[in-house]
Amino acid sequence: MFDLSTFRSENPSLTLTLVSKCFDDLCSHSQTDNQTTSMYVARSVAQDVLNKHGVRAEKLLDACTVNGDVLYSPTLVALLQAAASGEKKVFALIIVDVQNDFITGSLAVSEGEMVVPVINKMGPHFTHIYKTADWHPTDHISFHSNVKKCIHATSARSNIQGADSEMFQTVIVCGPPELKQTLWPDHCIQGSFGAEFHKDLKTFPNEVRVNKGMKTTVDSYSGFWDNGDTSHTPLYNMLLSNGVTDVVVCGIATDFCVGFTALDAARHGFRTVVVNEAIRGVMPDTSAGMVARCKAAGVEFVSSASIPDLVKEKDVSGAVDRIFKVKKHFTVVDINANQQYTPPVN
């Protein structure tokens, strides 16, 4: 088990400047996997580089080693920086899709408005706040009206063809990419009242809006990735650039956009917490299934009353344990806007 305080005591000369030099050296040796966007260095090279700088990081390298190579990742950099500086955790609040159409509009979720006062109360406890929003074009592939009119083709493998489809059924669309797609009412159309945040949701001075679902041919439940893992929003890079270690997720809907946002946050190595009173789902059974799926991925579910104390936590050593879990099923850690992503095989 990696212990941050022990690591710090074993490396008394470790400084942020030294960390920077270490990773400049590591970056000079890094390679790109032809099949993924993973950046890595050979374990022996990483060990030699850190040894040269006087950093005894065997256990830390163990945590970040995949298939014998060490992932060159901002997560690893952040852990070394934390060891060097003793910085506390950095929390971010991700508010998912608290928009008019999901509360009073075409795709209203039962008791959706109940999340608003809970979120408003939590907001002031966070330095970093991100509000995701569905921001769909009129010809979006998730709209039943478009699939029904065959604006988007359904696959020959689909049991239901577009012209025969009904609202809320699931079809296989050609995309690209070819994916299963639940057919929804038109909602959150760009520039519409339905796409606006609910009037009672506070505007926080430090908030950033993150639009998603803007590509015509693929839906986007997660605040990080589209449903086909072919493109991503700026959210991941914004979290990294602000040194975020832990994210708290809330909003609408539990079984879709909240759940998939939480799963993606966890697979990217962030400690991920969902607030029970600040989420609502489309259906009870699918919401329960998503909660179970999230818990299996290491996502925590807590009461809103615990948030003031939660954001005061300082120990970052648990981040290494999360890397152990993440690396078992997700090897792509570092992503930027110019890289293409190949999802892991489950």
Side-chain angles (χ1 to χ4, degrees), residues 280-321:
R280 290 295 187 278
V282 176
M283 296 292 291
D285 54 345
T286 51
S287 293
M290 178 57 80
V291 169
R293 182 176 173 184
C294 286
K295 288 181 177 179
V299 177
E300 303 169 45
F301 285 76
V302 303
S303 165
S304 61
S306 68
I307 294 301
D309 289 333
L310 182 74
V311 299
K312 295 176 184 177
E313 292 180 0
K314 296 182 179 181
D315 180 20
V316 299
S317 60
V320 178
D321 296 330

Side-chain angles (χ1 to χ4, degrees), residues 39-336:
M39 299 298 292
Y40 64 90
V41 294
R43 172 62 184 259
S44 59
V45 171
Q47 186 71 71
D48 288 345
V49 167
L50 294 180
N51 285 345
K52 182 181 74 173
H53 292 285
V55 179
R56 298 170 57 194
E58 291 87 354
K59 292 181 180 179
L60 186 58
L61 293 180
D62 285 344
C64 298
T65 298
V66 177
N67 297 327
D69 295 317
V70 176
L71 287 175
Y72 170 68
S73 76
T75 307
L76 183 54
V77 175
L79 287 168
L80 271 174
Q81 288 178 331
S85 66
E87 293 177 355
K88 66 179 181 179
K89 291 183 177 183
V90 178
F91 287 83
L93 179 65
I94 302 177
I95 304 169
V96 179
D97 299 5
V98 183
Q99 297 166 269
N100 289 325
D101 271 343
F102 296 128
I103 296 178
T104 58
S106 61
L107 198 43
V109 170
S110 178
E111 297 186 341
E113 71 281 356
M114 299 298 289
V115 306
V116 175
V118 183
I119 294 171
N120 287 344
K121 188 175 181 180
M122 290 193 299
H125 294 287
F126 293 86
T127 304
H128 306 286
I129 298 177
Y130 303 90
K131 289 180 176 177
T132 73
D134 269 7
W135 193 245
H136 296 317
T138 56
D139 58 348
H140 196 250
I141 201 164
S142 72
F143 297 169
H144 173 248
S145 60
N146 290 329
V147 175
K148 183 77 170 180
K149 290 183 289 188
C150 299
I151 291 176
H152 295 285
T154 45
S155 168
R157 298 192 303 113
S158 181
N159 292 330
I160 303 169
Q161 293 301 305
D164 302 321
S165 65
E166 301 293 339
M167 193 79 74
F168 303 116
Q169 288 183 324
T170 297
V171 298
I172 300 175
V173 291
C174 291
E178 185 175 280
L179 291 171
K180 289 183 178 180
Q181 176 64 56
T182 301
L183 302 178
W184 304 107
D186 292 18
H187 64 279
C188 298
I189 294 173
Q190 295 173 7
S192 69
F193 173 76
E196 294 177 8
F197 293 124
H198 189 271
K199 63 180 179 60
D200 293 332
L201 182 65
K202 286 183 178 179
T203 299
F204 301 98
N206 51 333
E207 72 178 44
V208 177
R209 178 178 176 129
V210 180
N211 289 331
K212 60 187 179 70
M214 296 179 285
K215 291 181 66 175
T216 297
T217 60
V218 61
D219 207 357
S220 298
Y221 293 150
S222 168
F224 292 88
W225 289 94
D226 68 45
N227 290 4
D229 277 335
T230 62
S231 64
H232 57 85
T233 72
L235 181 56
Y236 177 70
N237 283 331
M238 288 191 291
L239 293 172
L240 285 180
S241 66
N242 285 311
V244 171
T245 59
D246 297 49
V247 298
V248 175
V249 182
C250 58
I252 302 171
T254 308
D255 34 354
F256 291 94
C257 297
V258 169
F260 283 103
T261 298
L263 287 170
D264 275 350
R267 72 172 176 164
H268 282 307
F270 299 105
R271 178 199 180 184
T272 305
V273 177
V274 175
V275 181
N276 292 320
E277 303 96 315
I279 57 174
R280 290 295 187 278
V282 176
M283 296 292 291
D285 54 345
T286 51
S287 293
M290 178 57 80
V291 169
R293 182 176 173 184
C294 286
K295 288 181 177 179
V299 177
E300 303 169 45
F301 285 76
V302 303
S303 165
S304 61
S306 68
I307 294 301
D309 289 333
L310 182 74
V311 299
K312 295 176 184 177
E313 292 180 0
K314 296 182 179 181
D315 180 20
V316 299
S317 60
V320 178
D321 296 330
R322 291 196 295 281
I323 292 178
F324 273 112
K325 296 177 182 178
V326 170
K327 73 175 187 179
K328 292 178 182 178
H329 60 86
F330 186 69
T331 60
V332 180
V333 177
D334 304 320
I335 303 156
N336 63 51

